Amino acid sequence: MIKTDMLIIGAGPTGLFAVFEAGLLKLKCHLIDALPQPGGQCSEIYPKKPIYDIPAFPEVLAGDLVDNLMEQIRPFEPGFTLGERAETIEKLDDGSFIVTTSEGTQHQAPVVVIAGGLGSFEPRKPPIPNIAKYENNGVAYMIKEPEDYRDKRVVIAGGGDSALDWAIYLSEVASEVSLVHRRNEFRGALDSVEKVSELSKIGKINLITEAEVVGLQGEESLDSVVIRHKGDASEEEIKETDYFIPLFGLSPKLGPIANWGLEIEKNAIKVDNSYDYQTNIPGIYAIGDVNTYPGKLKLILCGFHEAAIMCQSAYQKIFPDKKYVMKYTTVSGVNGFDGSKKEAKREVVKSIN
């Protein structure tokens, strides 16, 4: 049995920052995540994509943001249960909770924080009959390491930001990039659409619109894709294809958490945003993209704010007889559980007689 002060389900940016805010309050944290590494979507789906709306970072790669958060929380020595999904929850007579994972690992804490982003994700797969045969043998639904595509022939399908951005990025990595979209219009950012158009004109991207990938071929692994054009229903084959990457988005699902008795609205957990982001079950909070309330914005920076507010409430729930006096880190510094201490240098002013 793993015991902790605060059990956080979801090790994405919001969950990681909650560890820091809890650490300032001397609360020990343990995190559960179904993914094999911390970082959530930032690590699993787009570690090499830049993020532009993190305060004080004009631009930061998603993977670097996770690395920075891990360094920030290191002094508070959080525990991790990775590669396991939170399955069931039980409330004990003393008000604490026991959460059991898919592997049977049990965790006990007086407070549970659901910071699972949008829940668990499944890629939206195109209706190609034999696509499962080539998964991990030429078909990928997300790009984790762009260098894997160095000097390869790549076919990307999709018309959103992810398809556009990766086509642009891989045009400088792969030997050949084809972008297939069933419409002439794209749903992505205008500058990305214009960039793809420019790269198409100079031969860096083979842009194929009003068409769909309808077939995959190859003995053991993928070696070609079949495209059908909408206008005349004619088909063409892109030979010597190393990778087919359909980027049609991900379908978020709450998973087993949906059966915990929480109030759910449109696949998100309703919380009291006027106070502390607590759910309809006292002691269970939800922060980040997994929650919903009037005026909700699904931004990482909003998740950071919610984490800070939540931790104050959680402290009072764990220690109802204690009064916490908030101190700025510029005054109190950061005292880690590992004995480390960060604080501003104090200037000594001597009087002059």
Side-chain angles (χ1 to χ4, degrees):
M1 179 80 72
I2 297 172
K3 295 185 178 182
T4 188
D5 296 323
M6 181 182 291
L7 181 62
I8 302 173
I9 300 171
T14 296
L16 294 177
F17 188 68
V19 173
F20 178 78
E21 289 295 320
L24 295 178
L25 299 171
K26 306 300 181 187
L27 299 178
K28 188 75 174 176
C29 294
H30 191 93
L31 300 94
I32 301 173
D33 202 297
L35 296 175
Q37 72 284 319
Q41 296 181 66
C42 289
S43 295
E44 181 71 9
I45 301 175
Y46 49 87
K48 301 296 183 180
K49 288 190 69 175
I51 302 174
Y52 300 104
D53 58 358
I54 302 299
F57 285 93
E59 177 181 339
V60 60
L61 294 180
D64 290 343
L65 176 65
V66 172
D67 290 342
N68 291 343
L69 286 165
M70 290 294 289
E71 176 63 22
Q72 188 176 26
I73 67 175
R74 183 181 53 78
F76 298 121
E77 301 179 321
F80 289 91
T81 299
L82 299 174
E84 301 182 26
R85 184 172 67 175
E87 291 282 338
T88 63
I89 190 167
E90 175 188 0
K91 190 169 185 177
L92 303 182
D93 292 339
D94 63 0
S96 66
F97 299 90
I98 292 181
V99 174
T100 304
T101 70
S102 54
E103 301 300 318
T105 308
Q106 291 191 316
H107 310 73
Q108 183 177 356
V111 166
V112 174
V113 181
I114 302 171
L118 294 172
S120 58
F121 290 88
E122 294 181 2
R124 293 190 178 99
K125 301 180 181 181
I128 300 174
N130 62 343
I131 193 167
K133 172 184 176 181
Y134 300 104
E135 290 174 357
N136 300 317
N137 284 301
V139 171
Y141 299 106
M142 60 187 69
I143 297 173
K144 298 180 183 179
E145 181 48 66
E147 280 301 313
D148 289 345
Y149 304 92
R150 173 72 61 182
D151 300 324
K152 303 296 184 181
R153 296 180 178 87
V154 179
V155 176
I156 296 174
D161 283 313
S162 186
L164 292 165
D165 292 346
W166 280 119
I168 294 169
Y169 190 98
L170 292 181
S171 68
E172 299 297 328
V173 176
S175 62
E176 183 179 308
V177 175
S178 296
L179 176 60
V180 182
H181 182 41
R182 60 195 179 98
R183 297 190 180 95
N184 274 321
E185 302 80 20
F186 289 87
R187 302 184 309 277
L190 179 59
D191 59 342
S192 296
V193 176
E194 292 175 343
K195 182 66 174 178
V196 166
S197 179
E198 292 174 6
L199 291 172
S200 173
K201 291 176 182 177
I202 62 175
K204 297 284 287 184
I205 292 177
N206 177 26
L207 182 59
I208 306 171
T209 58
E210 294 195 313
E212 294 181 272
V213 175
V214 296
L216 305 175
Q217 298 177 351
E219 291 295 330
E220 297 295 328
S221 59
L222 182 70
D223 63 27
S224 68
V225 303
V226 178
I227 295 172
R228 179 179 297 151
H229 296 273
K230 292 179 65 176
D232 56 7
S234 63
E235 295 185 355
E236 71 170 295
E237 181 181 1
I238 301 181
K239 297 181 179 181
E240 297 182 338
T241 298
D242 297 304
Y243 289 98
F244 171 53
I245 310 172
L247 298 175
F248 298 137
L250 300 169
S251 298
K253 295 183 179 180
L254 282 175
I257 291 174
N259 301 317
W260 286 9
L262 301 167
E263 191 173 356
I264 307 296
E265 181 179 289
K266 295 181 179 179
N267 209 38
I269 302 171
K270 291 186 68 174
V271 296
D272 179 9
N273 69 302
S274 65
Y275 181 51
D276 58 4
Y277 305 101
Q278 197 160 191
T279 69
N280 59 304
I281 300 178
I284 301 180
Y285 299 80
I287 57 174
D289 287 358
V290 76
N291 74 15
T292 185
Y293 53 82
K296 169 70 178 180
L297 291 176
K298 293 187 176 184
L299 297 172
I300 293 175
L301 64 92
C302 292
F304 290 166
H305 161 79
E306 294 168 10
I309 299 296
M310 175 277 298
C311 284
Q312 297 291 321
S313 173
Y315 180 88
Q316 292 301 321
K317 180 168 183 59
I318 297 170
F319 303 111
D321 299 327
K322 290 185 179 181
K323 184 178 180 181
Y324 175 74
V325 179
M326 192 186 80
K327 296 180 180 179
Y328 298 114
T329 54
T330 51
V331 175
S332 62
V334 175
N335 297 289
F337 299 157
D338 60 357
S340 64
K341 181 177 178 61
K342 293 182 179 180
E343 61 180 343
K345 292 182 179 179
R346 300 182 184 277
E347 298 291 340
V348 178
V349 179
K350 296 182 179 180
S351 59
I352 301 176
N353 296 327

